[in-house]
Amino acid sequence: LHIGIGGIATYPKNSELRRAAADVPDDRLLLETDAPWLSPQPVRGRRNEPGFVAYVAERIALERGVSVRELAAMTTRNARALFDLR
């Protein structure tokens, strides 16, 4: 089981989701865009696109107390393992 966190984690009222994201084991966390829907808060109301996943990464890294670089490495490693990407 992997847990994917998308743009709604950046919405102000979704503190429970952010707390849950902080508790997902490191080897099970993924980030997603929900494209073309549910854009992250900084671009809410616009058509979502894959590049906006950076906003999700920033927010979840903050919640987990790690750098964005660390979170990106972790979630990239997880996606590669899950989808058998080399």
Side-chain angles (χ1 to χ4, degrees):
L1 172 72
H2 285 76
I3 306 294
I5 306 295
I8 63 171
T10 64
Y11 297 176
K13 293 183 179 181
N14 274 343
S15 59
E16 289 181 29
L17 177 57
R18 288 189 295 276
R19 282 194 300 273
D23 291 334
V24 173
D26 289 353
D27 65 339
R28 297 297 177 198
L29 183 65
L30 299 171
L31 300 179
E32 58 181 292
T33 64
D34 299 318
W37 317 110
L38 302 171
S39 297
Q41 185 64 32
V43 290
R44 196 168 180 180
R46 291 176 49 188
R47 178 182 166 92
N48 202 359
E49 58 185 66
F52 294 163
V53 76
Y55 294 113
V56 179
E58 289 172 4
R59 185 60 194 202
I60 300 306
L62 179 66
E63 291 295 321
R64 293 176 70 95
V66 299
S67 71
V68 173
R69 176 179 228 128
E70 289 173 289
L71 185 78
M74 176 193 324
T75 56
T76 298
R77 190 171 44 252
N78 295 344
R80 285 184 174 155
L82 176 63
F83 297 112
D84 197 28
L85 302 173
R86 302 285 174 225

